[in-house]
Amino acid sequence: MTKKLLKGNHALAEAAVRAGCEGFFGYPITPSTEFLEYMSSRMPELGRAFVQAESEVAAINMVYGAACAGKRTMTASSSPGVSLMMEGLSYIAGTEVPAVLVNVMRGGPGLGNIAPSQGDYNQMVKGGGHGDYFPIVIAPASVQESIDYTMLAFDLADKYRTLVYVIVDGNIGQMMEPAEMPPMREIPTEAPDWAVTGAEGRDPIALSSIYIDPYDEEVTNLRLLKKKLEIEKNEVIFKEFFMEDAEIVIIGFGTAGRISLSAVREAREQGIKVGLIRPITLFPFPFERIAEAAEQAKSFLVVEMNTGMMLDDIQVAVKGKIPVEFYGRLGGVTPFPDEILSEINRINENPPTDPNLDARADWVKRLEKAIEGSN
Amino acid sequence: MATLTTDPIQVYKRPVGLTEVHSHYCPGCTHGISHRLIAEVLDEMGLREKTIGVAPVGCSVFAYKYLNTDYVEAAHGRAPAMATGIKRVRPENIVYTYQGDGDLASIGMAEIMHAAGRGENITVIFINNAIYGMTGGQMAPTTLPGMKTTSSPKGRDVEMAGFPIKMSEILATMQGSSYIVRRSLHDPAYIRKSKKAIRKAFETQVRGMGFSLVELLSTCPTNWKVTPYEALQFVEDSMIPVFPLGDFKVHPEIAKLKV
Ligand SMILES: Cc1ncc(C[n+]2csc(CCOP(=O)(O)OP(=O)(O)O)c2C)c(N)n1
Ligand code: SF4
């Protein structure tokens, strides 16, 4: 196989097709729309189901139906659309059927804008819908990773009968990069034994998220929690760069992590001992690796395209051992490598010493100055 | 003395399509009658082992316990979307939703309209009891003008709360629908007609002819705060004038069918 120049949304969609997705249900929204457009021709061509739903509410409930029917199924949307899907996502989680959601995140809250953002971290990683459940969340940083992790998303969804969210920002959805597609997977001929297929020669199956007796719901919640613990044990994925002797460690996911890598490379050329950890699974989160890195590094710099949502998780891992600094751009603004490089330089010249420093408050002052300066 | 020479003939039995459990429905509620009709029709058509039902949120939330087929339980109002997802990936199965009026005509208005609009090849059994049964008797989009509910305590004031929504009439305007009728469960003759309609609705789906819906006027003695007998009278005297029974759209192929 050779690499081809592929657009993020198209690559994500084709990867889902090759992973054996038999039902796509969606509603147009920038910056994820090309996903739906691609599926509108590709799925029927293969004799697979495609419906442009009347809303994201309907789309996710179609996914819910197809998932109960035992077929690989998914939807793709962007932030405001994903908000509308929260009801269905919670039902899918409660019924313990596998499904995949791709969220191409944009600036918010509200209608916000169509520019790339990571502002849905909390909504995606911490559940978002009602009740106790734990979707797997994967954050690719390139078109190739989008392909690879979409394939994985379907496998993990089936393995744990869980929701898997692949979250990228609009940059990755819209950009074109050379990437390689894996071969088409075979569609299984047998339905899983838990699926509704018509009760031919067997007792009927009922799939539901209702547990009217609280003791039954408690057992269900406990089962979901144990699944979460199992996932945390087995499925953590991250990448790291220049970590051997790093004194300053940058942590960022998706686009923020990728841009940080450019800054880290430059800083290394200047002789600064800086490394990067880029979490790929945001749930399960690489707490262990980050705690370990906190033993080695003098300080952390968390870089995000939001107000520091992952920062809170990093601080949990660091347990106040070393100072953690933060740099974020908001509302659909993507940081430039230079901005991160100057953060690295600042930290290198004036290393923070107070492990209890209020990273967010300090950064707000710096960002306000930067915004003033650019006006 | 004359002796009985012929073996007894069984004239009445529990359909295989109904499970042998006691339902949670209130005495005099006609939800149970519609369940039985569905079960009989699926048995007679030999479809039970091919069928996947979609239960709503409402008093019939546990329909899956009573109907002896595969079943899923949808979110409030979303049954037609869920049914769409199932039918599109399993066109070989028979898929139907069972929905109350709050579920179908209020929170699920978008889902039902678009399922019909797409001509989704599913069947909908729509129970119109003019009230929200499960939550204790609030006003529904189908509540009659002047009818008292816990959220229209002085009677539905059309100036404030508008008019009952007539779903069959609306859905009949959708090009994607092939069979849209309204029947009633308030007495045996009407129940027999309801069964025929349910049969025709499933026949529509078996033939791949698109969206089919049977609206059934149903009772809720508990929340109407009347006896079961008075509830049946109420359907006849007060509901039918607002929700006239009839065929609103019947595809000519289905009209020809003798069932
Ligand atoms: C999203 C959501 N909103 C509200 C409810 C509460 N609720 C449960 S059943 C119901 C009304 C059901 O009425 P109807 O569809 O007429 O069915 P019936 O109980 O009369 O058979 C409501 C509002 C819910 N379960 N979910
Ligand atoms: S509350 Fe009304 S609709 Fe619900 S079971 Fe009782 S009588 Fe039937």
Side-chain angles (χ1 to χ4, degrees):
Chain A
M1 284 286 266
T2 47
K3 286 194 177 184
K4 270 195 188 161
L5 199 59
L6 295 169
K7 185 169 187 152
N9 278 325
H10 291 165
L12 279 156
E14 180 60 25
V17 166
R18 298 206 179 188
C21 176
E22 288 190 77
F24 178 89
F25 309 93
Y27 187 84
I29 183 167
T30 311
S32 105
T33 303
E34 297 85 0
F35 200 123
L36 168 123
E37 289 171 338
Y38 186 88
M39 290 306 229
S40 72
S41 60
R42 187 72 170 127
M43 295 293 275
E45 180 180 297
L46 294 165
R48 302 186 191 177
F50 168 88
V51 179
Q52 179 173 328
E54 58 272 30
S55 68
E56 288 86 352
V57 174
I60 195 65
N61 282 286
M62 291 175 190
V63 168
Y64 185 18
C68 289
K71 304 285 188 172
R72 285 193 160 184
T73 179
M74 73 168 312
T75 184
S77 187
S78 174
S79 313
V82 173
S83 286
L84 267 187
M85 290 182 182
M86 282 301 150
E87 176 197 53
L89 292 167
S90 170
Y91 276 72
I92 291 171
T95 310
E96 296 173 75
V97 287
V100 173
L101 161 74
V102 172
N103 181 0
V104 186
M105 297 180 285
R106 63 186 238 183
L111 197 50
N113 56 43
I114 57 172
S117 161
Q118 297 182 328
D120 300 352
Y121 180 95
N122 282 349
Q123 188 189 40
M124 297 281 82
V125 176
K126 311 295 177 183
H130 61 283
D132 252 334
Y133 68 96
F134 314 96
I136 294 175
V137 184
I138 313 181
S142 65
V143 172
Q144 186 65 57
E145 279 191 3
S146 298
I147 295 167
D148 299 344
Y149 291 121
T150 299
M151 303 288 286
L152 178 70
F154 280 97
D155 292 340
L156 290 177
D158 280 352
K159 179 173 173 189
Y160 295 101
R161 283 177 63 179
T162 189
L163 283 168
V164 182
Y165 302 161
V166 177
I167 67 169
V168 296
D169 61 69
N171 286 310
I172 297 168
Q174 297 293 324
M175 73 164 69
M176 289 187 89
E177 277 191 305
E180 191 177 319
M181 271 293 160
M184 188 78 101
R185 297 245 194 104
E186 293 261 340
I187 302 266
T189 44
E190 294 271 307
D193 57 8
W194 48 260
V196 291
T197 56
E200 197 177 335
R202 60 156 170 78
D203 288 339
I205 289 171
L207 291 175
S208 153
S209 64
I210 192 170
Y211 295 94
I212 208 77
D213 181 340
Y215 290 104
D216 292 339
E217 184 72 276
E218 187 176 46
V219 168
T220 304
N221 283 182
L222 191 60
R223 186 170 61 247
L224 292 175
L225 175 64
K226 284 166 84 177
K227 211 185 273 192
K228 167 194 152 117
L229 298 175
E230 196 58 28
I231 290 168
E232 283 180 324
K233 223 189 305 164
N234 300 333
E235 311 297 349
V236 175
I237 308 172
F238 57 88
K239 276 196 179 152
E240 56 180 59
F241 307 85
F242 307 107
M243 282 298 292
E244 320 75 56
D245 58 347
E247 292 176 359
I248 303 170
V249 172
I250 303 198
I251 304 170
F253 69 93
T255 295
R258 180 168 170 171
I259 295 171
S260 297
L261 182 58
S262 308
V264 166
R265 288 209 168 100
E266 291 239 348
R268 276 280 168 181
E269 277 181 20
Q270 295 172 19
I272 301 173
K273 289 188 173 167
V274 55
L276 171 74
I277 298 176
R278 177 160 66 78
I280 291 174
T281 51
L282 301 180
F283 177 79
F285 196 68
F287 281 111
E288 241 172 73
R289 178 64 188 106
I290 285 161
E292 229 176 68
E295 302 286 340
Q296 161 198 341
K298 294 195 173 135
S299 69
F300 279 180
L301 169 66
V302 178
V303 179
E304 296 182 74
M305 288 154 62
N306 61 41
T307 54
M309 294 179 176
M310 183 178 68
L311 171 67
D312 294 335
D313 286 330
I314 302 288
Q315 279 166 335
V316 168
V318 172
K319 296 198 181 85
K321 287 215 171 86
I322 55 168
V324 178
E325 296 240 29
F326 179 69
Y327 187 74
R329 292 306 301 255
L330 309 174
V333 178
T334 301
F336 286 105
D338 280 358
E339 295 173 63
I340 300 165
L341 185 60
S342 52
E343 285 288 300
I344 297 171
N345 283 323
R346 179 181 62 76
I347 293 169
N348 188 45
E349 283 153 26
N350 286 306
T353 49
D354 178 8
N356 297 317
L357 73 86
D358 188 341
R360 213 181 258 109
D362 283 3
W363 153 76
V364 165
K365 285 183 225 142
R366 297 200 302 281
L367 180 66
E368 278 179 335
K369 230 183 256 166
I371 292 173
E372 260 170 47
S374 63
N375 283 343
Chain B
M1 217 175 90
T3 51
L4 198 65
T5 51
T6 47
D7 288 335
I9 305 164
Q10 188 171 31
V11 291
Y12 190 80
K13 66 173 182 190
R14 189 177 200 94
V16 185
L18 271 190
T19 58
E20 287 195 41
V21 296
H22 288 288
S23 86
H24 68 287
Y25 296 116
C26 306
C29 175
T30 46
H31 264 303
I33 296 177
S34 67
H35 283 17
R36 184 181 173 100
L37 298 183
I38 294 168
E40 286 180 356
V41 166
L42 293 179
D43 279 5
E44 287 162 20
M45 292 176 74
L47 294 177
R48 189 186 70 81
E49 295 191 331
K50 275 181 83 173
T51 297
I52 301 170
V54 185
V57 173
C59 278
S60 45
V61 64
F62 292 127
Y64 61 85
K65 291 190 180 178
Y66 313 136
L67 284 146
N68 197 14
T69 66
D70 273 7
Y71 240 97
V72 297
E73 208 317 285
H76 196 17
R78 317 295 176 221
M82 212 177 169
T84 298
I86 297 170
K87 186 73 180 182
R88 291 292 182 114
V89 298
R90 288 201 177 281
E92 66 278 17
N93 285 101
I94 296 298
V95 181
Y96 76 100
T97 71
Y98 185 101
Q99 301 178 257
D101 44 67
D103 194 81
L104 181 141
S106 190
I107 196 167
M109 184 59 115
E111 285 75 13
I112 195 70
M113 293 303 289
H114 285 270
R118 287 189 302 268
E120 215 57 67
N121 194 30
I122 59 170
T123 299
V124 175
I125 307 300
F126 169 35
I127 304 297
N128 179 358
N129 59 12
I131 205 156
Y132 282 21
M134 189 194 208
T135 39
Q138 296 76 35
M139 185 181 70
T142 44
T143 294
L144 309 181
M147 186 174 166
K148 284 187 178 158
T149 71
T150 61
S151 57
S152 57
K154 294 192 172 150
R156 181 176 189 161
D157 175 356
V158 295
E159 293 291 327
M160 297 269 293
F163 297 87
I165 295 178
K166 302 180 184 189
M167 289 308 297
S168 288
E169 284 84 340
I170 296 172
L171 288 164
T173 67
M174 308 298 279
Q175 270 179 285
S177 49
S178 272
Y179 186 74
I180 309 284
V181 302
R182 183 183 291 122
R183 299 287 185 267
S184 169
L185 297 172
H186 76 281
D187 95 357
Y190 288 90
I191 291 170
R192 288 170 73 91
K193 288 184 185 153
S194 297
K195 181 176 169 184
K196 285 192 174 177
I198 293 172
R199 171 83 190 238
K200 287 195 173 177
F202 281 107
E203 295 282 0
T204 305
Q205 184 176 165
V206 167
R207 285 166 175 68
M209 290 169 63
F211 187 81
S212 52
L213 174 140
V214 180
E215 175 174 347
L216 297 169
L217 301 186
S218 192
T219 61
C220 179
T222 302
N223 289 303
W224 293 354
K225 300 190 175 22
V226 296
T227 65
Y229 178 72
E230 288 164 344
L232 298 171
Q233 291 285 302
F234 182 80
V235 172
E236 168 115 32
D237 300 341
S238 303
M239 279 184 83
I240 292 178
V242 176
F243 297 108
L245 307 183
D247 296 359
F248 297 93
K249 185 162 184 189
V250 178
H251 191 285
E253 284 299 308
I254 298 301
K256 274 192 275 177
L257 273 186
K258 292 270 170 290
V259 297

